[in-house]
Amino acid sequence: MGKRLIFATNNEGKVNEIRQILGDGYDVYSLKDLDIHTNIIEDGHTFEENAVIKAKAICEETHEMVLADDSGFEVDYLGGEPGIYSARYLGEDTPYEIKNAELLKRCEKAEGQERTARFVCVIACAYPDGKVETTTGVIEGVLAREPRGKNGFGYDPIFYLPERGCTTGEMEPSEKNKISHRGIALRKMVEKLQKSGE
Ligand code: IMP
């Protein structure tokens, strides 16, 4: 059995990535696993603020150390949109085929360097004594010309990595986790936890 770790999310796609990144050393519990239905209002103005809001809210409820993340997709041609509104872009329940097609359409005229984009992830760890720590991971790429790949989720089919010649939607999950924003932020957090003896 690994060490018990609560990750404050209902997104099963994320939990699966996190379990794969952390391996057998940790038993990761999602909000669903713990039957927690707290309605958290993510009204921060940055990824960091929102990650801290989520981790603190669940830590106050469980009185245990809690991790949470906030992540999103930034397109430079659109001034960083959808950014912290990535999940809510065009409406929370709108299929990603539509969200992705709309982003590509809005960027039709963008050429070369104008198409730079990135995934950003901030992980927050909240402790029962009120202490909070955060780590950040970023993966740089460009907006693809058309969606490609059935792996991953969300904006993966339109996020192209020039040095790999594919989108993150075309990568094997284990390959994506090695280089992803979430993988980077999570490994930095694990290092911090291990240093502080958690
Ligand atoms: P959060 O659950 O509030 O952190 O929202 C994150 C949103 O950003 C997701 O719903 C996706 O739209 C987008 N996103 C974050 N990470 C990824 C990724 O690895 N691939 C594709 N989309 C992502």
Side-chain angles (χ1 to χ4, degrees):
M1 236 178 65
K3 189 173 161 45
R4 177 183 163 94
L5 198 67
I6 301 177
F7 204 100
T9 184
N10 283 311
N11 181 332
E12 283 305 303
K14 271 191 196 175
V15 183
N16 288 338
E17 282 194 8
I18 287 154
R19 287 199 177 110
Q20 191 165 39
I21 294 163
L22 291 179
D24 293 339
Y26 292 87
D27 290 332
V28 182
Y29 293 87
S30 69
L31 296 181
K32 199 168 147 206
D33 295 332
L34 299 174
D35 211 18
I36 295 175
H37 300 281
T38 312
N39 182 26
I40 302 169
I41 297 162
E42 290 179 40
D43 57 359
H45 301 291
T46 60
F47 293 116
E48 180 161 358
E49 282 177 13
N50 281 333
V52 170
I53 287 170
K54 286 185 253 188
K56 273 194 153 181
I58 303 304
C59 178
E60 276 161 22
E61 195 164 328
T62 59
H63 309 290
E64 282 184 59
M65 183 185 95
V66 172
L67 296 188
D69 83 339
D70 198 58
S71 55
F73 186 44
E74 292 182 346
V75 179
D76 289 331
Y77 189 71
L78 303 177
E81 276 189 60
I84 60 167
Y85 302 105
S86 291
R88 292 166 266 177
Y89 181 60
L90 301 179
E92 188 106 31
D93 296 327
T94 303
Y96 273 89
E97 288 77 24
I98 293 174
K99 298 190 194 213
N100 289 345
E102 176 65 12
L103 280 183
L104 293 184
K105 189 155 163 259
R106 289 176 66 196
C107 296
E108 243 167 25
K109 295 204 168 71
E111 297 291 344
Q113 282 303 310
E114 289 178 327
R115 299 187 74 81
T116 49
R118 69 196 56 76
F119 281 129
V120 181
C121 175
V122 175
I123 301 220
C125 179
Y127 296 86
D129 67 0
K131 194 174 87 172
V132 179
E133 289 193 293
T134 61
T135 55
T136 302
V138 178
I139 176 170
E140 300 280 350
V142 299
L143 199 61
R145 280 287 171 188
E146 57 187 16
R148 262 172 38 190
K150 297 264 176 270
N151 293 339
F153 65 99
Y155 300 100
D156 278 324
I158 60 167
F159 183 60
Y160 185 75
L161 298 174
E163 70 280 7
R164 300 218 165 213
C166 67
T167 68
T168 45
E170 293 176 294
M171 293 177 76
E172 286 303 319
S174 59
E175 283 304 305
K176 181 187 165 193
N177 291 341
K178 278 187 205 155
I179 59 162
S180 77
H181 50 313
R182 197 166 296 103
I184 294 167
L186 194 56
R187 279 188 287 271
K188 281 189 193 167
M189 182 54 79
V190 168
E191 217 169 280
K192 271 198 183 192
L193 296 180
Q194 284 170 347
K195 271 195 189 137
S196 64
E198 286 293 340

